[in-house]
Amino acid sequence: MTTVRRFCCDDLLRFESVNLDHLTETFNLSFYMTYLARWPDYFHVAEGPGKRIMGYIMGKVEGQGESWHGHVTAVTVAPEYRRQQVAKKLMNLLEENSDKILDT
């Protein structure tokens, strides 16, 4: 079963198996911390059995008025969890959160 929740600081020490994949762009620690501090509503992790990190999404919102939009900075899923719609769940959540902020 997949659980999607907000990314937290402890996850930075646990997501190396996702980031070691050659298809995943990795960033320095301060980049992740900036997103976690500035846009926590758009930074989520998918966990599997045993609290193993399956993937994560990092995003933000930007613009004003009509140009307000969500931006996906990174979305990645560990190779062993691909083709299970994990990225789709994460993308849908980011889109929902972006729309909620826009509607308020």
Side-chain angles (χ1 to χ4, degrees), residues 52-77:
R52 183 167 162 83
I53 293 182
M54 302 167 73
Y56 66 89
I57 190 164
M58 239 173 40
K60 63 182 180 177
V61 289
E62 53 193 8
Q64 295 178 344
E66 291 292 318
S67 66
W68 178 267
H69 63 279
H71 172 84
V72 178
T73 302
V75 61
T76 189
V77 175

PDB file of all heavy atoms in Angstrom, residues 52-77:
ATOM      1  N   ARG A  52       9.452   2.442   3.346  1.00  0.00           N
ATOM      2  CA  ARG A  52      10.460   2.612   2.287  1.00  0.00           C
ATOM      3  C   ARG A  52       9.994   3.705   1.330  1.00  0.00           C
ATOM      4  O   ARG A  52       8.848   3.698   0.879  1.00  0.00           O
ATOM      5  CB  ARG A  52      10.653   1.298   1.554  1.00  0.00           C
ATOM      6  CG  ARG A  52      11.726   1.348   0.503  1.00  0.00           C
ATOM      7  CD  ARG A  52      12.086  -0.050   0.050  1.00  0.00           C
ATOM      8  NE  ARG A  52      12.779  -0.044  -1.203  1.00  0.00           N
ATOM      9  CZ  ARG A  52      14.073   0.166  -1.351  1.00  0.00           C
ATOM     10  NH1 ARG A  52      14.813   0.389  -0.291  1.00  0.00           N
ATOM     11  NH2 ARG A  52      14.638   0.148  -2.532  1.00  0.00           N
ATOM     12  N   ILE A  53      10.873   4.626   1.004  1.00  0.00           N
ATOM     13  CA  ILE A  53      10.502   5.714   0.098  1.00  0.00           C
ATOM     14  C   ILE A  53      10.438   5.186  -1.324  1.00  0.00           C
ATOM     15  O   ILE A  53      11.407   4.634  -1.853  1.00  0.00           O
ATOM     16  CB  ILE A  53      11.478   6.896   0.224  1.00  0.00           C
ATOM     17  CG1 ILE A  53      11.324   7.519   1.605  1.00  0.00           C
ATOM     18  CG2 ILE A  53      11.211   7.928  -0.867  1.00  0.00           C
ATOM     19  CD1 ILE A  53      12.177   8.730   1.860  1.00  0.00           C
ATOM     20  N   MET A  54       9.270   5.354  -1.917  1.00  0.00           N
ATOM     21  CA  MET A  54       9.024   4.899  -3.284  1.00  0.00           C
ATOM     22  C   MET A  54       9.335   5.995  -4.297  1.00  0.00           C
ATOM     23  O   MET A  54       9.761   5.716  -5.412  1.00  0.00           O
ATOM     24  CB  MET A  54       7.563   4.480  -3.432  1.00  0.00           C
ATOM     25  CG  MET A  54       7.153   3.377  -2.473  1.00  0.00           C
ATOM     26  SD  MET A  54       5.367   3.149  -2.408  1.00  0.00           S
ATOM     27  CE  MET A  54       5.056   2.372  -3.980  1.00  0.00           C
ATOM     28  N   GLY A  55       9.097   7.241  -3.917  1.00  0.00           N
ATOM     29  CA  GLY A  55       9.321   8.360  -4.807  1.00  0.00           C
ATOM     30  C   GLY A  55       8.966   9.661  -4.118  1.00  0.00           C
ATOM     31  O   GLY A  55       8.487   9.658  -2.985  1.00  0.00           O
ATOM     32  N   TYR A  56       9.211  10.758  -4.816  1.00  0.00           N
ATOM     33  CA  TYR A  56       8.860  12.061  -4.258  1.00  0.00           C
ATOM     34  C   TYR A  56       8.598  13.061  -5.375  1.00  0.00           C
ATOM     35  O   TYR A  56       8.958  12.837  -6.534  1.00  0.00           O
ATOM     36  CB  TYR A  56       9.950  12.583  -3.311  1.00  0.00           C
ATOM     37  CG  TYR A  56      11.268  12.913  -3.969  1.00  0.00           C
ATOM     38  CD1 TYR A  56      11.516  14.173  -4.494  1.00  0.00           C
ATOM     39  CD2 TYR A  56      12.277  11.964  -4.053  1.00  0.00           C
ATOM     40  CE1 TYR A  56      12.732  14.473  -5.089  1.00  0.00           C
ATOM     41  CE2 TYR A  56      13.491  12.246  -4.643  1.00  0.00           C
ATOM     42  CZ  TYR A  56      13.715  13.515  -5.158  1.00  0.00           C
ATOM     43  OH  TYR A  56      14.919  13.807  -5.757  1.00  0.00           O
ATOM     44  N   ILE A  57       7.944  14.151  -4.996  1.00  0.00           N
ATOM     45  CA  ILE A  57       7.704  15.259  -5.919  1.00  0.00           C
ATOM     46  C   ILE A  57       8.057  16.547  -5.205  1.00  0.00           C
ATOM     47  O   ILE A  57       7.779  16.713  -4.010  1.00  0.00           O
ATOM     48  CB  ILE A  57       6.249  15.284  -6.437  1.00  0.00           C
ATOM     49  CG1 ILE A  57       6.105  16.281  -7.581  1.00  0.00           C
ATOM     50  CG2 ILE A  57       5.256  15.561  -5.317  1.00  0.00           C
ATOM     51  CD1 ILE A  57       4.839  16.106  -8.389  1.00  0.00           C
ATOM     52  N   MET A  58       8.713  17.412  -5.922  1.00  0.00           N
ATOM     53  CA  MET A  58       9.091  18.727  -5.424  1.00  0.00           C
ATOM     54  C   MET A  58       8.511  19.750  -6.371  1.00  0.00           C
ATOM     55  O   MET A  58       8.741  19.677  -7.581  1.00  0.00           O
ATOM     56  CB  MET A  58      10.624  18.856  -5.490  1.00  0.00           C
ATOM     57  CG  MET A  58      11.288  19.115  -4.216  1.00  0.00           C
ATOM     58  SD  MET A  58      13.100  19.062  -4.280  1.00  0.00           S
ATOM     59  CE  MET A  58      13.563  19.814  -5.773  1.00  0.00           C
ATOM     60  N   GLY A  59       7.741  20.673  -5.838  1.00  0.00           N
ATOM     61  CA  GLY A  59       7.153  21.684  -6.699  1.00  0.00           C
ATOM     62  C   GLY A  59       7.038  23.014  -5.990  1.00  0.00           C
ATOM     63  O   GLY A  59       7.435  23.174  -4.833  1.00  0.00           O
ATOM     64  N   LYS A  60       6.492  23.967  -6.711  1.00  0.00           N
ATOM     65  CA  LYS A  60       6.257  25.290  -6.149  1.00  0.00           C
ATOM     66  C   LYS A  60       5.149  25.952  -6.949  1.00  0.00           C
ATOM     67  O   LYS A  60       4.706  25.414  -7.972  1.00  0.00           O
ATOM     68  CB  LYS A  60       7.524  26.137  -6.193  1.00  0.00           C
ATOM     69  CG  LYS A  60       8.043  26.418  -7.600  1.00  0.00           C
ATOM     70  CD  LYS A  60       9.325  27.220  -7.535  1.00  0.00           C
ATOM     71  CE  LYS A  60       9.870  27.520  -8.922  1.00  0.00           C
ATOM     72  NZ  LYS A  60      11.079  28.351  -8.851  1.00  0.00           N
ATOM     73  N   VAL A  61       4.694  27.084  -6.465  1.00  0.00           N
ATOM     74  CA  VAL A  61       3.736  27.891  -7.225  1.00  0.00           C
ATOM     75  C   VAL A  61       4.381  29.228  -7.497  1.00  0.00           C
ATOM     76  O   VAL A  61       5.206  29.711  -6.731  1.00  0.00           O
ATOM     77  CB  VAL A  61       2.396  28.071  -6.470  1.00  0.00           C
ATOM     78  CG1 VAL A  61       1.627  26.777  -6.438  1.00  0.00           C
ATOM     79  CG2 VAL A  61       2.603  28.610  -5.085  1.00  0.00           C
ATOM     80  N   GLU A  62       4.004  29.803  -8.622  1.00  0.00           N
ATOM     81  CA  GLU A  62       4.581  31.083  -9.007  1.00  0.00           C
ATOM     82  C   GLU A  62       3.624  31.836  -9.909  1.00  0.00           C
ATOM     83  O   GLU A  62       2.659  31.262 -10.418  1.00  0.00           O
ATOM     84  CB  GLU A  62       5.938  30.883  -9.690  1.00  0.00           C
ATOM     85  CG  GLU A  62       5.919  29.925 -10.852  1.00  0.00           C
ATOM     86  CD  GLU A  62       7.300  29.508 -11.307  1.00  0.00           C
ATOM     87  OE1 GLU A  62       8.303  29.831 -10.648  1.00  0.00           O
ATOM     88  OE2 GLU A  62       7.385  28.837 -12.336  1.00  0.00           O
ATOM     89  N   GLY A  63       3.900  33.100 -10.092  1.00  0.00           N
ATOM     90  CA  GLY A  63       3.058  33.938 -10.929  1.00  0.00           C
ATOM     91  C   GLY A  63       2.012  34.679 -10.120  1.00  0.00           C
ATOM     92  O   GLY A  63       1.879  34.493  -8.919  1.00  0.00           O
ATOM     93  N   GLN A  64       1.261  35.519 -10.829  1.00  0.00           N
ATOM     94  CA  GLN A  64       0.194  36.286 -10.198  1.00  0.00           C
ATOM     95  C   GLN A  64      -1.014  36.319 -11.123  1.00  0.00           C
ATOM     96  O   GLN A  64      -0.866  36.300 -12.347  1.00  0.00           O
ATOM     97  CB  GLN A  64       0.644  37.718  -9.923  1.00  0.00           C
ATOM     98  CG  GLN A  64       1.767  37.823  -8.918  1.00  0.00           C
ATOM     99  CD  GLN A  64       2.213  39.262  -8.726  1.00  0.00           C
ATOM    100  OE1 GLN A  64       1.901  40.132  -9.527  1.00  0.00           O
ATOM    101  NE2 GLN A  64       2.955  39.508  -7.663  1.00  0.00           N
ATOM    102  N   GLY A  65      -2.184  36.375 -10.518  1.00  0.00           N
ATOM    103  CA  GLY A  65      -3.413  36.488 -11.301  1.00  0.00           C
ATOM    104  C   GLY A  65      -3.563  35.364 -12.304  1.00  0.00           C
ATOM    105  O   GLY A  65      -3.486  34.183 -11.959  1.00  0.00           O
ATOM    106  N   GLU A  66      -3.757  35.725 -13.558  1.00  0.00           N
ATOM    107  CA  GLU A  66      -3.958  34.747 -14.630  1.00  0.00           C
ATOM    108  C   GLU A  66      -2.736  33.864 -14.880  1.00  0.00           C
ATOM    109  O   GLU A  66      -2.858  32.778 -15.423  1.00  0.00           O
ATOM    110  CB  GLU A  66      -4.351  35.453 -15.936  1.00  0.00           C
ATOM    111  CG  GLU A  66      -5.729  36.074 -15.927  1.00  0.00           C
ATOM    112  CD  GLU A  66      -6.829  35.024 -15.882  1.00  0.00           C
ATOM    113  OE1 GLU A  66      -6.727  34.011 -16.591  1.00  0.00           O
ATOM    114  OE2 GLU A  66      -7.779  35.231 -15.108  1.00  0.00           O
ATOM    115  N   SER A  67      -1.557  34.349 -14.512  1.00  0.00           N
ATOM    116  CA  SER A  67      -0.344  33.560 -14.767  1.00  0.00           C
ATOM    117  C   SER A  67       0.040  32.675 -13.575  1.00  0.00           C
ATOM    118  O   SER A  67       1.096  32.053 -13.589  1.00  0.00           O
ATOM    119  CB  SER A  67       0.825  34.478 -15.138  1.00  0.00           C
ATOM    120  OG  SER A  67       1.183  35.283 -14.040  1.00  0.00           O
ATOM    121  N   TRP A  68      -0.810  32.624 -12.531  1.00  0.00           N
ATOM    122  CA  TRP A  68      -0.570  31.761 -11.369  1.00  0.00           C
ATOM    123  C   TRP A  68      -0.562  30.309 -11.819  1.00  0.00           C
ATOM    124  O   TRP A  68      -1.457  29.865 -12.532  1.00  0.00           O
ATOM    125  CB  TRP A  68      -1.678  31.987 -10.343  1.00  0.00           C
ATOM    126  CG  TRP A  68      -1.582  31.121  -9.127  1.00  0.00           C
ATOM    127  CD1 TRP A  68      -2.188  29.921  -8.954  1.00  0.00           C
ATOM    128  CD2 TRP A  68      -0.863  31.384  -7.939  1.00  0.00           C
ATOM    129  NE1 TRP A  68      -1.882  29.415  -7.720  1.00  0.00           N
ATOM    130  CE2 TRP A  68      -1.073  30.293  -7.068  1.00  0.00           C
ATOM    131  CE3 TRP A  68      -0.055  32.427  -7.513  1.00  0.00           C
ATOM    132  CZ2 TRP A  68      -0.509  30.217  -5.799  1.00  0.00           C
ATOM    133  CZ3 TRP A  68       0.505  32.354  -6.252  1.00  0.00           C
ATOM    134  CH2 TRP A  68       0.275  31.263  -5.418  1.00  0.00           C
ATOM    135  N   HIS A  69       0.450  29.562 -11.426  1.00  0.00           N
ATOM    136  CA  HIS A  69       0.512  28.153 -11.832  1.00  0.00           C
ATOM    137  C   HIS A  69       1.434  27.363 -10.905  1.00  0.00           C
ATOM    138  O   HIS A  69       2.290  27.925 -10.230  1.00  0.00           O
ATOM    139  CB  HIS A  69       1.004  28.034 -13.282  1.00  0.00           C
ATOM    140  CG  HIS A  69       2.401  28.545 -13.475  1.00  0.00           C
ATOM    141  ND1 HIS A  69       2.683  29.875 -13.627  1.00  0.00           N
ATOM    142  CD2 HIS A  69       3.586  27.898 -13.530  1.00  0.00           C
ATOM    143  CE1 HIS A  69       3.990  30.035 -13.784  1.00  0.00           C
ATOM    144  NE2 HIS A  69       4.571  28.847 -13.720  1.00  0.00           N
ATOM    145  N   GLY A  70       1.221  26.070 -10.891  1.00  0.00           N
ATOM    146  CA  GLY A  70       2.100  25.162 -10.186  1.00  0.00           C
ATOM    147  C   GLY A  70       3.260  24.785 -11.092  1.00  0.00           C
ATOM    148  O   GLY A  70       3.122  24.740 -12.317  1.00  0.00           O
ATOM    149  N   HIS A  71       4.389  24.515 -10.501  1.00  0.00           N
ATOM    150  CA  HIS A  71       5.599  24.159 -11.248  1.00  0.00           C
ATOM    151  C   HIS A  71       6.188  22.894 -10.638  1.00  0.00           C
ATOM    152  O   HIS A  71       6.400  22.828  -9.429  1.00  0.00           O
ATOM    153  CB  HIS A  71       6.601  25.310 -11.160  1.00  0.00           C
ATOM    154  CG  HIS A  71       7.947  24.987 -11.712  1.00  0.00           C
ATOM    155  ND1 HIS A  71       8.225  25.090 -13.050  1.00  0.00           N
ATOM    156  CD2 HIS A  71       9.079  24.557 -11.109  1.00  0.00           C
ATOM    157  CE1 HIS A  71       9.495  24.727 -13.245  1.00  0.00           C
ATOM    158  NE2 HIS A  71      10.022  24.399 -12.078  1.00  0.00           N
ATOM    159  N   VAL A  72       6.453  21.906 -11.454  1.00  0.00           N
ATOM    160  CA  VAL A  72       7.087  20.672 -10.992  1.00  0.00           C
ATOM    161  C   VAL A  72       8.598  20.827 -11.163  1.00  0.00           C
ATOM    162  O   VAL A  72       9.088  20.962 -12.281  1.00  0.00           O
ATOM    163  CB  VAL A  72       6.596  19.440 -11.790  1.00  0.00           C
ATOM    164  CG1 VAL A  72       7.316  18.187 -11.324  1.00  0.00           C
ATOM    165  CG2 VAL A  72       5.096  19.289 -11.664  1.00  0.00           C
ATOM    166  N   THR A  73       9.310  20.809 -10.063  1.00  0.00           N
ATOM    167  CA  THR A  73      10.759  20.910 -10.110  1.00  0.00           C
ATOM    168  C   THR A  73      11.379  19.527 -10.289  1.00  0.00           C
ATOM    169  O   THR A  73      12.321  19.355 -11.058  1.00  0.00           O
ATOM    170  CB  THR A  73      11.291  21.561  -8.821  1.00  0.00           C
ATOM    171  OG1 THR A  73      10.675  22.844  -8.691  1.00  0.00           O
ATOM    172  CG2 THR A  73      12.794  21.710  -8.843  1.00  0.00           C
ATOM    173  N   ALA A  74      10.840  18.552  -9.585  1.00  0.00           N
ATOM    174  CA  ALA A  74      11.344  17.182  -9.701  1.00  0.00           C
ATOM    175  C   ALA A  74      10.248  16.206  -9.307  1.00  0.00           C
ATOM    176  O   ALA A  74       9.502  16.444  -8.366  1.00  0.00           O
ATOM    177  CB  ALA A  74      12.553  16.984  -8.798  1.00  0.00           C
ATOM    178  N   VAL A  75      10.153  15.137 -10.049  1.00  0.00           N
ATOM    179  CA  VAL A  75       9.303  14.002  -9.676  1.00  0.00           C
ATOM    180  C   VAL A  75      10.084  12.754 -10.054  1.00  0.00           C
ATOM    181  O   VAL A  75      10.595  12.652 -11.168  1.00  0.00           O
ATOM    182  CB  VAL A  75       7.906  14.044 -10.334  1.00  0.00           C
ATOM    183  CG1 VAL A  75       7.974  14.016 -11.842  1.00  0.00           C
ATOM    184  CG2 VAL A  75       7.027  12.929  -9.813  1.00  0.00           C
ATOM    185  N   THR A  76      10.230  11.857  -9.116  1.00  0.00           N
ATOM    186  CA  THR A  76      10.984  10.637  -9.391  1.00  0.00           C
ATOM    187  C   THR A  76      10.446   9.482  -8.558  1.00  0.00           C
ATOM    188  O   THR A  76       9.927   9.687  -7.463  1.00  0.00           O
ATOM    189  CB  THR A  76      12.493  10.846  -9.133  1.00  0.00           C
ATOM    190  OG1 THR A  76      13.205   9.709  -9.614  1.00  0.00           O
ATOM    191  CG2 THR A  76      12.795  11.068  -7.675  1.00  0.00           C
ATOM    192  N   VAL A  77      10.579   8.307  -9.124  1.00  0.00           N
ATOM    193  CA  VAL A  77      10.129   7.075  -8.476  1.00  0.00           C
ATOM    194  C   VAL A  77      11.266   6.058  -8.580  1.00  0.00           C
ATOM    195  O   VAL A  77      11.902   5.935  -9.633  1.00  0.00           O
ATOM    196  CB  VAL A  77       8.844   6.533  -9.157  1.00  0.00           C
ATOM    197  CG1 VAL A  77       8.436   5.199  -8.565  1.00  0.00           C
ATOM    198  CG2 VAL A  77       7.709   7.540  -9.039  1.00  0.00           C
TER     199      VAL A  77
END
